[in-house]
Amino acid sequence: MEQQPILLKEICPHGTKFLPCAAYRTHSVGKGVFVKHHWHDEAEILYFSEGGFRLEINMESFQISSECFYFINPGELHGIISETFDPHWEDAVVFLPGILGFDSHDETQIRLIKPIRNGKLLFPRCVAPPHPAFLSLRHAFADIMGVFERIAEDGSLTADGLACQLYIKSSLLRILATLSEHGLFLPVERNFDKRVENIKTVLLYIEENYHNKIYISDLAGQVNLNEQYFCRLFKKVIGHSPIEYINEYRIKQAKRLLEETDLQVTEVCLECGFNNLGNFLQEFRKRTGTTPLQYKKNFEIS
């Protein structure tokens, strides 16, 4: 599985200072975690050209069996699991809603853009055929992806270029117009879910401390929960136990180090929080089907 930002590498925050918007194409050839659980301040539009996924958003799970759009609102915890061995593609456009604002306080600014920016108005969860809005959404989305593809192919173009910005913004506004025309925006009715915020806190802790020894008590203590309750909650939201998630995250970091550095396998093992080489090799083979050394050789060949 690999995530391929159309702009060659992912920039955080997504996009650039002048255009906080980015497009991504993610490819999978097997079952398992497709996009790890994460969240961001940007809104995200996901396009699935076909099925075979499970999309998890906050405390909800959605089975995707055919072509559709899903919308992620700012701050929502989400992840994608591939559920078949067939090749899969998923496209995403991530953007800060604020880039669509106007200086003039017209009806569009007051009744649509500002409520979206303030979290008072939410994107719909899903739009799929044969909804009358679907084709318009697909055309506008394809136009955005097309601009980023041209930027990647043509070295003279940049996302900060005036023409590219106008094309991208106009297509995003077409998406907003289509959703508004069909009454698909949702007023905020959902209550703050402390459970989701607890999991987000723990995920941040893991990302910052994966190279150290992490105990369940450390994680539960971050959110002041009983260890047993915390483990049940974590698995309900993420789909894996805390230990499984930590090992998965560590192996992901190990793959990155093998690709980007000249560290020896034993050094990678220690750098990623594995204090036992045998355990590291076992987890690496379990999640990649090969050894760290062979993985590095294969990466260098490709």
Side-chain angles (χ1 to χ4, degrees):
M1 304 177 190
E2 58 180 342
Q3 185 177 42
Q4 299 175 324
I6 291 177
L7 282 178
L8 302 183
K9 72 171 185 176
E10 182 175 359
I11 303 172
C12 292
H14 301 276
T16 70
K17 176 182 177 181
F18 299 104
L19 185 71
C21 175
Y24 301 93
R25 177 158 291 151
T26 309
H27 177 56
S28 169
V29 292
K31 296 176 69 174
V33 175
F34 190 66
V35 177
K36 74 178 184 69
H37 282 78
H38 65 289
W39 72 96
H40 37 67
D41 294 329
E42 295 87 353
E44 182 169 1
I45 305 172
L46 300 171
Y47 171 65
F48 299 93
S49 57
E50 55 187 334
F53 299 97
R54 184 172 79 253
L55 172 62
E56 296 177 345
I57 306 174
N58 291 340
M59 300 294 291
E60 298 181 276
S61 181
F62 305 90
Q63 296 296 138
I64 297 169
S65 57
S66 59
E67 183 184 24
C68 61
F69 282 101
Y70 269 83
F71 294 83
I72 309 296
N73 293 289
E76 291 188 320
L77 180 65
H78 55 287
I80 306 173
I81 292 88
S82 173
E83 298 204 309
T84 72
F85 287 102
D86 299 325
H88 295 316
W89 291 93
E90 172 261 328
D91 293 339
V93 171
V94 185
F95 65 98
L96 278 175
I99 66 173
L100 303 178
F102 304 99
D103 287 336
S104 60
H105 292 283
D106 59 12
E107 287 294 292
T108 303
Q109 178 73 15
I110 295 170
R111 298 176 56 188
L112 188 62
I113 305 295
K114 187 175 180 180
I116 291 174
R117 292 180 63 178
N118 295 340
K120 302 280 180 69
L121 202 59
L122 301 177
F123 286 91
R125 184 56 78 210
C126 177
V127 179
H131 194 285
F134 185 81
L135 284 180
S136 295
L137 291 175
R138 190 168 66 181
H139 289 155
F141 187 87
D143 286 345
I144 296 171
M145 298 298 292
V147 173
F148 280 107
E149 286 170 355
R150 291 199 298 275
I151 292 171
E153 294 168 358
D154 188 341
S156 66
L157 294 175
T158 70
D160 288 338
L162 185 58
C164 290
Q165 289 191 44
L166 287 170
Y167 280 127
I168 292 168
K169 286 187 177 184
S170 63
S171 294
L172 286 171
L173 287 170
R174 282 163 52 202
I175 289 175
L176 265 59
T178 299
L179 297 175
S180 179
E181 176 187 4
H182 293 278
L184 292 174
F185 281 107
L186 305 170
V188 173
E189 296 178 351
R190 285 173 278 183
N191 295 324
F192 173 81
D193 195 330
K194 179 65 174 175
R195 296 173 300 175
V196 173
E197 296 305 311
N198 283 341
I199 296 302
K200 289 163 67 173
T201 297
V202 169
L203 295 183
L204 275 178
Y205 180 85
I206 292 171
E207 291 185 11
E208 293 171 354
N209 295 276
Y210 70 90
H211 49 281
N212 298 320
K213 183 68 175 177
I214 299 177
Y215 297 94
I216 296 297
S217 57
D218 297 328
L219 302 180
Q222 290 296 307
V223 289
N224 299 315
L225 292 177
N226 170 276
E227 290 182 32
Q228 290 184 329
Y229 174 78
F230 165 74
C231 288
R232 290 197 301 270
L233 174 63
F234 191 96
K235 187 162 187 177
K236 181 177 181 180
V237 176
I238 301 300
H240 301 288
S241 72
I243 297 303
E244 289 172 331
Y245 180 87
I246 292 169
N247 285 337
E248 183 179 274
Y249 188 83
R250 285 172 168 164
I251 294 301
K252 179 179 178 180
Q253 298 307 312
K255 289 164 61 179
R256 178 182 59 81
L257 290 176
L258 290 168
E259 294 169 6
E260 300 176 1
T261 73
D262 294 325
L263 292 176
Q264 299 296 313
V265 170
T266 52
E267 294 174 304
V268 172
C269 168
L270 295 174
E271 184 69 23
C272 293
F274 289 97
N275 295 320
N276 181 292
L277 181 60
N279 185 35
F280 171 61
L281 296 175
Q282 182 181 14
E283 286 292 332
F284 196 94
R285 180 178 288 278
K286 172 183 174 182
R287 299 176 190 281
T288 67
T290 188
T291 66
L293 191 58
Q294 189 61 49
Y295 179 88
K296 187 175 183 67
K297 289 179 179 178
N298 292 342
F299 180 80
E300 291 172 346
I301 293 174
S302 63

